[in-house]
Amino acid sequence: MSAAAPKSCVIGWPVAHSRSPLIHGYWLKTHGIAGSYEKAPVRPEDFSAFVDAMRAAGYVGGNVTIPHKAAAAARCDRLTERAERLGSVNTVWFDGETLCGDTTDGLGFLGALDQEAPGWDAQKGIALVFGAGGAAAPIVDALVGRGFARVVIANRTIAKAEALAAKLSCDVVALDEVAPLLETADLVVNTTSVGMSGQGDLALDLAALRPDTVVDDIVYVPAETPLLRSARARGLRTVGGLGMLLHQAVPGFSHWFGMVPEVTPALRRLVEADIASGA
Ligand code: NAP
């Protein structure tokens, strides 16, 4: 009897709009792997029972998304150092009976910059990060890990930036005091939801940025946010959020299906088309 095909899933509530099935489905198909990846809508009160039953149900692991990331970190038997540090897990897999967890958004963020703006970290000087929400923590952690001399968080609610800075090695600046930092920044990153379709603009004066500053916006709907459009108009190198979404998926796929997939232009086009369709 042949072994059952490995199954994976994205566990969230709600989960209907997740693009992970599209990404992993593409890799399964292009690599001819007999596996599957599905959406698992799981209410918060059912998360623990769902995870308890995963192995018997044939899952080799899965992604975990809002609102379960902290619960997944608490539930895992073994965590990577970064998942432990951040108290958050977006990828789980079984090593025998042991449920292992990692948080891969920081890897995705770095992977996109490495692929789309090679040499972006040549200076490893100052990174200025806007936002202190769920997405900011792994990004700040990744930039510190990459060796940036100074990572500074600017957020509307300064107490949230301070709470993050208490956990990670970074500084905090108020949004209205950010101007002097702009001319020294090697990298400017938007992790706020400002810039999402219909949600306005960070209104930064990009004239202060050096010509070699790289501007990254992790928002991926729209593909080009007002911030990226202004940066590109000034001739700066820019990186959008789609690459991070695609690269964060790589470690999970390799844990579950045994090969490291690539983020290719064809995959990017597929997901771009899905976003453009408004699905
Ligand atoms: P979140 O936890 O809700 O945090 C939202 C952040 O945006 C907070 O820092 C918030 O500031 C700030 N913000 C919201 N409205 C603002 C406004 N009008 N002016 C100034 N700041 C404002 O959200 P998240 O999970 O971090 O996600 C943030 C964005 O990243 C979303 O657009 C999401 O789609 C995107 N994202 C992309 C990827 C990817 O793979 N590319 C991954 C994760 C998230 P306060 O603290 O002051 O409220």
Side-chain angles (χ1 to χ4, degrees):
M1 200 177 76
S2 61
K7 278 198 331 184
S8 186
C9 61
V10 51
I11 311 163
W13 187 263
V15 79
H17 290 97
S18 171
R19 294 197 166 83
S20 294
L22 185 66
I23 299 167
H24 292 288
Y26 172 84
W27 283 329
L28 286 168
K29 190 169 161 208
T30 52
H31 294 291
I33 295 172
S36 64
Y37 186 101
E38 59 203 44
K39 290 176 186 170
V42 176
R43 292 174 192 274
E45 59 271 31
D46 298 329
F47 179 74
S48 188
F50 182 87
V51 172
D52 287 345
M54 273 178 85
R55 210 156 173 269
Y59 289 110
V60 291
N63 284 124
V64 178
T65 189
I66 291 167
H68 303 308
K69 290 182 177 186
R75 173 65 183 73
C76 281
D77 306 308
R78 192 163 77 217
L79 294 175
T80 60
E81 274 179 31
R82 62 180 157 252
E84 180 99 53
R85 202 162 46 241
L86 297 171
S88 179
V89 155
N90 74 347
T91 304
V92 297
W93 67 98
F94 289 99
D95 178 5
E97 296 289 327
T98 304
L99 183 67
C100 307
D102 193 6
T103 177
T104 66
D105 279 341
L107 295 176
F109 170 76
L110 296 178
L113 278 157
D114 288 341
Q115 187 176 50
E116 297 173 44
W120 67 278
D121 60 346
Q123 302 299 327
K124 294 189 176 55
I126 296 181
L128 177 57
V129 178
F130 288 89
I139 286 175
V140 168
D141 189 59
L143 289 167
V144 171
R146 188 54 80 94
F148 271 73
R150 196 168 169 227
V151 180
V152 186
I153 311 178
N155 194 47
R156 179 179 60 180
T157 310
I158 196 122
K160 276 169 74 180
E162 282 164 353
L164 210 53
K167 282 204 300 185
L168 305 171
S169 307
C170 58
D171 298 331
V172 171
V173 66
L175 273 184
D176 58 1
E177 286 170 11
V178 103
L181 269 174
L182 287 173
E183 62 198 59
T184 63
D186 298 281
L187 176 73
V188 171
V189 187
N190 175 45
T191 78
T192 75
S193 42
V194 176
M196 279 174 81
S197 301
Q199 293 204 20
D201 178 352
L202 271 180
L204 294 179
D205 179 13
L206 299 186
L209 294 179
R210 298 194 320 250
D212 61 342
T213 302
V214 174
V215 178
D216 186 312
D217 195 332
I218 70 161
V219 169
Y220 56 89
V221 184
E224 187 171 63
T225 59
L227 173 66
L228 292 186
R229 194 173 319 120
S230 310
R232 198 165 52 85
R234 295 200 63 80
L236 302 174
R237 287 206 291 170
T238 61
V239 174
L242 181 59
M244 173 175 165
L245 179 74
L246 301 177
H247 283 273
Q248 64 76 32
V250 170
F253 191 91
S254 64
H255 283 299
W256 311 319
F257 302 117
M259 59 99 44
V260 182
E262 273 185 52
V263 174
T264 58
L267 173 60
R268 183 178 282 273
R269 283 194 297 274
L270 178 77
V271 180
E272 277 168 352
D274 186 63
I275 291 171
S277 78

